[in-house]
Each structure stands twice: as C-alpha cells, then as structure tokens.
Amino acid sequence: MRILTVGAGAVGGFFGARLAEAGQDVSFLVRPARARALRARGLRVEGQGEALRLAPKLVTADAPGGPYDVVLLSVKATSLGPALAAVGPAVGPGTAVVPLLNGMAHLDALVARLGSEAVLGGVAKVVTTLNEEGDILRMAPPAVVLTGETDGRPSARVDAIRTALTGAGIDSPATGDIVGAMWHKWVFISTLVAFTCLMRGTVGEVNAVPGGAALGASLLAEAAAVSEAAGHPVPEAELAFTRATVTAPGSPLTPSLYRDLISGVPTEADHVLTDLTVRARALGVATPLLDLAALHLRVHEQRLAAAGRP
C-alpha cells in the first residue's frame, strides 16, 4: 500500500513511522526546513518503549508524487489550506484521504477540494510531542486511529487501511459511525483545551485550587450538550473517561493547543473552540464557559496578528 503522510510532526510522524517500520511504502510530505532536518537526523520516535530510527522517504509540495492509495492528513488546522493545495496532485481516482484533525470543519474543506468519494472520516488518539531536536516523544500509551466512510457503509478500502494500521501496532477497531466518533473526540479535546487554556495551567494545577474540578465537569457538560444536539450523544463511558481526565489531581496533562498558546504561536482555537460555539448557537445550546474560552483565545490570536505573526 502506497501511503502519503502529510506532515511529519508529532502525530503524522508517529503513525507514518510505525507504518514504514512495518513495511508499508510511506512517503512524508513536509516543508523544506523539516525535510532538511529529517535528512540530516532521520525520523526518530522515543518514549513509552519506542526506539524507532528511520531514513524517511520525503517529498515536498512542488513534487508530491502519487497518486497514492492512502493519504493521512495530519497537519494542524492552521496549515490546512496550504496542505490541501499541496496534496491535490497526489490524490487520484482511487485515493482514500484520512484526516486526523480535531473538530469537524475540515471535512467540508476536504470534500470541496477533493470530492466526497475521496474523503473518509478519521480520529487519532495519541499523546506525542516534538522535542527540541525535532524528534517525536511518545508520552502515553494510546496509539489509535479510527476511520470509516462518512455515511457509515461497509467499505473494502476502510478494511484494508485498518489492516495496515493494525499490522503496524496501531489500534484501529471497526466503527460504524465515524462521524459520531469525530464528534466524541471533539468533546474530549474541546473540554481539555478550554480547561487548560482558560486557566493557563496543567490539569493538575487547575484541580489543585478550589473550583478547579467543578470547572472541568461544567465544560464537559456544555461540549457534550452540543454533540447531543447535533445528533451524536456521547456514550457514558466516554463521558466518564473525559471527566476523570480533566479532574485528575496532580496530572501534568496539557493539549498541544495549550502548549502553542504559552509558546506565543498561532493555535487551532477557531477550528477547535470557535467552530464548536458557532454550531452550539445554531443548535440552540448555551455554552457560556466555552464561549469565554474561545474569546480568551481569540484575544491571543488578535495579539499575534497585530504583531505581524503568521
């Protein structure tokens, strides 16, 4: 199977490295600076028992190659536009595009650019980051990719993708409702993002003060209400997991959006939080706490724009 991983960062680099190590024909579409670094140092994955060292097959936007059997789209929402422009030539009549972004807005953009037949739904569950050397550090056990046809129909191409993923040690259980799974992941990540970014602290730091745990539960209730109103109620087991995650005492957990915020760089706030609150308004769901978190992050983005930051 010929696979193009768009991005070789913490998410795409991790899953692409696993697939390449398992013998799949994987290319990484990266920016020139990342390509130079990877050619010099290789693609490295460490932590949680990982010790991968690869000489990755690299392509850039001016020559993406293809068409490919599968495109794993793992860029941040802030880079979605350029990524779509770059990946277009790599998508042929039989290519399946699996987006691993949070939220839902990217599906419309993908379908508009590539056509509905090319686009699958996708969910990634992994806790990774890039260290100072540009290596991928795995920080927690989950390594999950869910995918499926957005209309829920059985699909031979989805089965083939899942087989390749599981063969690389990536959990990929079957799901008959990938759109629902995307909504449920959105509830989790939006709750975690709002909780840490609004309070400017790790999960443990927020929970260490009076009212911290109550805030996490309240944010989860708002996000889950939006998902339910959209026709995708979150199962109780997933609600319990998210609730436990955001109320865990002493937890050092932060999402990547929080790390971007405190680093003073652009974030995926509009894709993760603003879009959720806009949908909440359309569905008649009140989300005052999520609205506040979105406003907080919009001030950050406005400050960067005023300073001329891209």
Side-chain angles (χ1 to χ4, degrees), residues 229-302:
H232 304 285
V234 184
E236 181 53 43
E238 294 196 35
L239 289 174
F241 175 80
T242 303
R243 192 177 298 114
T245 298
V246 297
T247 59
S251 171
L253 181 63
T254 60
S256 62
L257 197 152
Y258 169 85
R259 297 192 291 273
D260 288 341
L261 172 66
I262 62 173
S263 296
V265 299
T267 74
E268 297 179 294
D270 282 347
H271 200 81
V272 173
L273 280 184
T274 302
D275 186 46
L276 185 64
T277 61
V278 169
R279 292 173 192 249
R281 297 293 81 73
L283 294 165
V285 178
T287 55
L289 292 172
L290 291 172
D291 291 346
L292 183 62
L295 177 61
H296 178 73
L297 288 167
R298 283 199 296 273
V299 171
H300 167 76
E301 301 297 334
Q302 175 62 29

Side-chain angles (χ1 to χ4, degrees), residues 66-275:
Y68 295 87
D69 299 312
V70 179
V71 172
L72 292 181
L73 187 65
S74 59
V75 299
K76 291 188 176 183
T78 50
S79 300
L80 180 60
L84 285 179
V87 81
V91 176
T95 303
V97 180
V98 182
L100 301 180
L101 290 78
N102 293 312
M104 297 295 296
H106 58 278
L107 278 186
D108 291 339
L110 283 165
V111 169
R113 183 68 182 244
L114 304 174
S116 58
E117 283 303 308
V119 181
L120 301 177
V123 171
K125 298 181 181 180
V126 65
V127 186
T128 51
T129 191
L130 294 182
N131 64 20
E132 292 181 356
E133 289 76 32
D135 300 337
I136 298 165
L137 178 63
R138 187 180 181 193
M139 299 182 291
V144 180
V145 172
L146 305 179
T147 190
E149 303 286 350
T150 56
D151 61 5
R153 71 182 187 274
S155 167
R157 65 178 181 171
V158 169
D159 292 341
I161 294 167
R162 290 183 51 244
T163 297
L165 290 166
T166 55
I170 301 165
D171 293 337
S172 188
T175 175
D177 181 14
I178 189 60
V179 173
M182 292 172 68
W183 268 96
H184 302 160
K185 170 71 183 300
W186 197 7
V187 169
F188 171 83
I189 198 65
S190 62
T191 299
L192 182 60
V193 162
F195 186 61
T196 55
C197 292
L198 191 57
M199 295 294 102
R200 294 292 185 107
T202 67
V203 167
E205 288 171 337
V206 181
N207 283 312
V209 300
L215 175 62
S218 296
L219 286 164
L220 172 58
E222 289 187 4
V226 182
S227 186
E228 182 168 8
H232 304 285
V234 184
E236 181 53 43
E238 294 196 35
L239 289 174
F241 175 80
T242 303
R243 192 177 298 114
T245 298
V246 297
T247 59
S251 171
L253 181 63
T254 60
S256 62
L257 197 152
Y258 169 85
R259 297 192 291 273
D260 288 341
L261 172 66
I262 62 173
S263 296
V265 299
T267 74
E268 297 179 294
D270 282 347
H271 200 81
V272 173
L273 280 184
T274 302
D275 186 46

